Amino acid sequence: MAVELDDLTEAERKALAQCRHAVLGTERPLRLDCGVDLGPYRVAYQTYGTLNADKSNAVLICHALTLDQFVAEQHPVTGKEGWWESLVGPGKVIDPAHYFVICVNVLGGCMGTTGPLAREPASGAPWNLRFPVVTVGDMVRAQAALLDHLGIPDLFCVIGGSLGGMQVLEWAASYPARVFSAVPIACAARHSAQNIAFHEVGRQAIMADPDWRGGDYRLHQTAPARGLAVARMTAHITYLSEQALQRKFGRALQDRNALGFGFDADFQVESYLRYQGSSFVDRFDANSYLYITRAMDYFDLAGAHGGVLANAFRGTPTRYCLMSFTSDWLFPTRESREIVHALNAAAANVSFVEVESDKGHDAFLLEEPEMFRTLAGFLKGAGTVRGLKDVP
Amino acid sequence: MNAAIRVDLQLIADMVSPATRALDVGCGDGSLLAYLVDFKRVDARGMELSQAGVNACVANGLSVIQGDADADLRDYPDDAFDYVILSQTLQATREPREVLRQMLRVGKRAIVSFPNFAHWQVRLRLVFGGRMPETPSLPFKWYDTPNIHLCSIDDFRALCRDMGVRIERAIVLDRASRPINLPPLLANLLGEQAVFMLRRD
């Protein structure tokens, strides 16, 4: 089968060796929003815990732009701890002893799920930039197809931050009967002009790198590392807050006592960003970055429902808990509030908590006790209504 | 599960039929919500102005959002709830009449409790003390009170008449939060607070 014949990248090989995967769309391809039928395609995913007898304890975690399915374990490529290990694991808020936790690498990703790195099944040629542009809706439909494949009728909870939060909203809007509860964190129902603008800077940096080669860098055995690093540096700034940068770095100098009167990394903040950029290129694919940022740009839940966000949630049976962070300027609180207004207009069961934090957008990935308490309380309340036993 | 809640909240809870839908506007620490959920199987939601209050409620498994009665009732569709509850908050809203109208649009019934500004203690302090009244149910200085639209029980009845709202029940409470059964004139003098259940006529 064509998808099995992929010449996997080193990162994909390591990822797939450490997680599960399924080949889907062989009989019935996935109809993408752009009109292309995709199939077969591979979905790489990880699970923690076990599905209970009545299949009522499945929790789907949706990952953000550059994260992946390795939520709660050492990462096969970077060796770092799981990106939400503070939240998911034994004794944690999302304890695999109680929940069957699933996380799926998004469509278009580069940790084992089909994306621009794969080969087009029909021709056998690498997709690269010929890979169809995918949307958040496509990502979610691929996840739903995986649940069908796994025989999981519905999800106790879908949780995610940022792009993950967009997926949560898409899940609730597209599969209301399959989502018992939903926790969209630090996200928006549509990507703002400013956010699209930042993404465009990142994409242009990648495409301006001569090693990008129109997306065919692997054929030329190159990689647009400088472009991807600049993209990451730009994006990383948007994940932090002015206060956090000031607190962490101020104007402190890097390994020197005086200004260098040159363009080395004089300041600690420069050195930090350079490190963030250079370490990113070792674990992420440049074309994947183009595709996933595009999916976020295209996300507009109201637009897909006649311009009225509430229409996306009409009659929704799902219990919602939204969270935002005071210093997040990428997905500010007002974006979450707009979703809350729409959910109220649909008379949905909704909770909304704004967490006080100076850590910017990144706060959702960090130790934020208020977020943990909120999530624990919400899951407990939802679990009681769901009739989940043995949940603390 | 703690069954003990404030007496006026208990009175409100007793007015709510089991297994209905209710919205508690200004739900505070969520004690009424928790009671309705735990003991009456009510699909109860809350709205609270203070973010700290909201966070505490949600951490206790309650469905609560940050919002205020003046601005945020408008979002909800007609008849979204069986009851919309506003306890000890009406007097702090910018437009009490509009808030009541919205409550009765969003809910089939509205339950409202408020301190009675015609209570004899209030009258005495103003008439003979010559100072703005401070009582257990009105514990603020004139300059820091959130209560900008205080009314008496009779004022409230008049507003209901004016709005064409039917009063289904009216309970007047004394200083110990015990229900008292008196003719309206006396109730307006001796009642420290009142709980009304209203519905659109």
Side-chain angles (χ1 to χ4, degrees):
Chain A
M1 193 180 304
V3 273
E4 299 291 356
L5 298 175
D6 280 355
D7 39 347
L8 299 168
T9 63
E10 187 62 20
E12 284 179 305
R13 218 189 323 275
K14 286 178 179 169
L16 287 166
Q18 196 177 306
C19 73
R20 299 151 186 257
H21 74 272
V23 176
L24 306 172
T26 311
E27 284 154 29
R28 206 158 51 90
L30 186 69
R31 169 58 60 93
L32 301 173
D33 278 332
C34 65
V36 172
D37 284 332
L38 183 68
Y41 60 96
R42 184 179 53 228
V43 176
Y45 65 100
Q46 189 60 303
T47 67
Y48 307 92
T50 44
L51 190 63
N52 61 11
D54 46 3
K55 301 183 176 186
S56 61
N57 68 336
V59 171
L60 179 70
I61 293 178
C62 300
H63 70 73
L65 172 56
T66 66
L67 296 172
D68 48 47
Q69 65 273 35
F70 300 104
V71 177
E73 66 196 284
Q74 193 181 35
H75 196 275
V77 178
T78 65
K80 289 184 178 159
E81 71 168 26
W83 58 270
W84 237 359
E85 217 159 310
S86 55
L87 198 65
V88 182
K92 305 284 168 61
V93 172
I94 302 173
D95 191 333
H98 306 296
Y99 303 113
F100 181 53
V101 181
I102 311 161
C103 184
V104 187
N105 187 213
V106 294
L107 206 60
C110 53
M111 278 298 154
T113 292
T114 293
L117 285 170
R119 285 172 182 270
E120 184 184 2
S123 69
W127 278 112
N128 293 342
L129 231 59
R130 285 163 297 277
F131 188 69
V133 167
V134 292
T135 64
V136 172
D138 296 328
M139 293 172 176
V140 165
R141 277 187 288 280
Q143 292 164 11
L146 175 67
L147 292 195
D148 293 341
H149 172 79
L150 297 175
I152 298 174
D154 63 351
L155 297 160
F156 166 58
C157 191
V158 189
I159 306 176
S162 202
L163 166 64
M166 291 175 168
Q167 293 170 65
V168 174
L169 294 172
E170 181 73 42
W171 258 105
S174 297
Y175 300 98
R178 299 186 82 167
V179 182
F180 185 78
S181 66
V183 185
I185 305 172
C187 67
R190 51 135 184 64
H191 219 211
S192 70
Q194 179 173 266
N195 290 3
I196 295 170
F198 276 116
H199 275 173
E200 177 60 2
V201 172
R203 285 190 295 263
Q204 287 300 326
I206 291 167
M207 294 192 279
D209 187 325
D211 285 337
W212 181 61
R213 307 273 183 132
D216 287 333
Y217 43 88
R218 283 184 82 204
L219 291 177
H220 296 89
Q221 295 181 322
T222 60
R226 284 164 298 171
L228 182 58
V230 171
R232 176 62 171 178
M233 288 165 77
T234 314
H236 199 80
I237 300 168
T238 69
Y239 302 152
L240 304 174
S241 69
E242 208 266 332
Q243 307 100 287
L245 277 176
Q246 191 61 35
R247 173 166 49 74
K248 257 177 151 166
F249 306 109
R251 290 179 54 82
L253 300 180
Q254 179 71 28
D255 301 330
R256 66 198 67 194
N257 300 319
L259 297 175
F261 291 94
F263 297 98
D264 283 348
D266 272 359
F267 295 100
Q268 276 182 12
V269 66
E270 292 173 298
S271 165
Y272 169 79
L273 275 185
R274 287 183 187 192
Y275 171 75
Q276 290 297 331
S278 66
S279 62
F280 183 59
V281 302
D282 297 332
R283 70 175 177 92
F284 214 83
D285 174 63
N287 284 343
S288 242
Y289 194 83
L290 300 181
Y291 277 89
I292 302 175
T293 55
R294 206 64 181 141
M296 291 179 77
D297 293 352
Y298 278 11
F299 188 63
D300 179 3
L301 202 50
H305 290 85
V308 180
L309 187 55
N311 288 346
F313 304 113
R314 250 350 129 206
T316 179
T318 304
R319 298 169 72 93
Y320 296 83
C321 178
L322 286 91
M323 278 185 260
S324 69
F325 299 89
T326 49
S327 57
D328 184 350
W329 55 278
L330 195 61
F331 291 99
T333 290
R334 67 169 178 279
E335 301 271 13
S336 288
R337 233 180 255 287
E338 258 180 53
I339 301 166
V340 172
H341 286 311
L343 286 167
N344 282 344
N349 188 318
V350 52
S351 293
F352 168 57
V353 163
E354 183 188 37
V355 176
E356 178 87 37
S357 166
D358 77 346
K359 299 195 182 71
H361 183 58
D362 255 357
F364 85 90
L365 296 168
L366 303 171
E367 286 279 350
E368 289 287 350
E370 188 92 62
M371 176 178 82
F372 291 4
R373 269 199 297 278
T374 300
L375 189 57
F378 175 73
L379 290 177
K380 183 167 172 263
T384 307
V385 180
R386 173 87 159 175
L388 282 188
K389 293 184 204 86
D390 307 327
V391 171
Chain B
M1 243 184 247
N2 186 359
I5 54 172
R6 236 168 52 203
V7 182
D8 57 318
L9 296 182
Q10 184 66 55
L11 278 171
I12 294 173
D14 292 344
M15 291 182 177
V16 175
S17 302
T20 50
R21 283 161 69 94
L23 174 68
D24 185 2
V25 183
C27 63
D29 64 0
S31 49
L32 174 61
L33 277 184
Y35 184 92
L36 291 174
V37 170
D38 291 342
F39 294 99
K40 304 199 89 167
R41 292 171 290 111
V42 171
D43 178 358
R45 328 273 178 79
M47 185 190 285
E48 167 60 30
L49 193 56
S50 101
Q51 192 62 60
V54 174
N55 296 16
C57 287
V58 179
N60 283 327
L62 300 168
S63 300
V64 176
I65 60 162
Q66 199 269 335
D68 79 276
D70 280 300
D72 296 306
L73 279 171
R74 278 176 209 139
D75 290 341
Y76 295 90
D78 296 355
D79 289 323
F81 297 96
D82 296 302
Y83 305 93
V84 178
I85 300 163
L86 188 69
S87 87
Q88 304 292 336
T89 304
L90 184 69
Q91 74 281 359
T93 61
R94 283 191 304 278
E95 295 178 77
R97 188 186 165 114
E98 175 61 12
V99 167
L100 271 183
R101 199 184 67 78
Q102 289 289 349
M103 288 174 71
L104 284 162
R105 179 187 65 79
V106 171
K108 296 186 176 73
R109 290 186 168 84
I111 302 177
V112 182
S113 75
F114 57 89
N116 175 24
F117 203 66
H119 185 246
W120 63 271
Q121 274 192 312
V122 174
R123 300 188 197 201
L124 278 184
R125 273 169 210 249
L126 188 61
V127 172
F128 296 109
R131 303 282 299 269
M132 281 302 281
E134 281 173 51
T135 67
S137 61
L138 296 167
F140 304 100
K141 299 280 184 205
W142 65 273
Y143 49 80
D144 65 6
T145 179
N147 300 328
I148 52 175
H149 283 119
L150 289 157
C151 69
S152 70
I153 295 172
D154 285 359
D155 285 329
F156 188 78
R157 287 183 191 276
L159 176 62
C160 292
R161 259 197 313 277
D162 200 36
M163 290 176 69
V165 168
R166 194 196 315 163
I167 297 171
E168 285 202 332
R169 291 190 68 185
I171 300 175
V172 176
L173 306 177
D174 67 10
R175 289 181 66 187
S177 295
R178 283 181 306 240
I180 48 177
N181 217 340
L182 292 169
L185 208 66
L186 275 176
N188 199 36
L189 181 66
L190 299 177
E192 191 176 54
Q193 51 176 317
V195 185
F196 278 74
M197 181 147 81
L198 315 171
R199 77 179 297 169
R200 267 167 282 164
D201 220 2

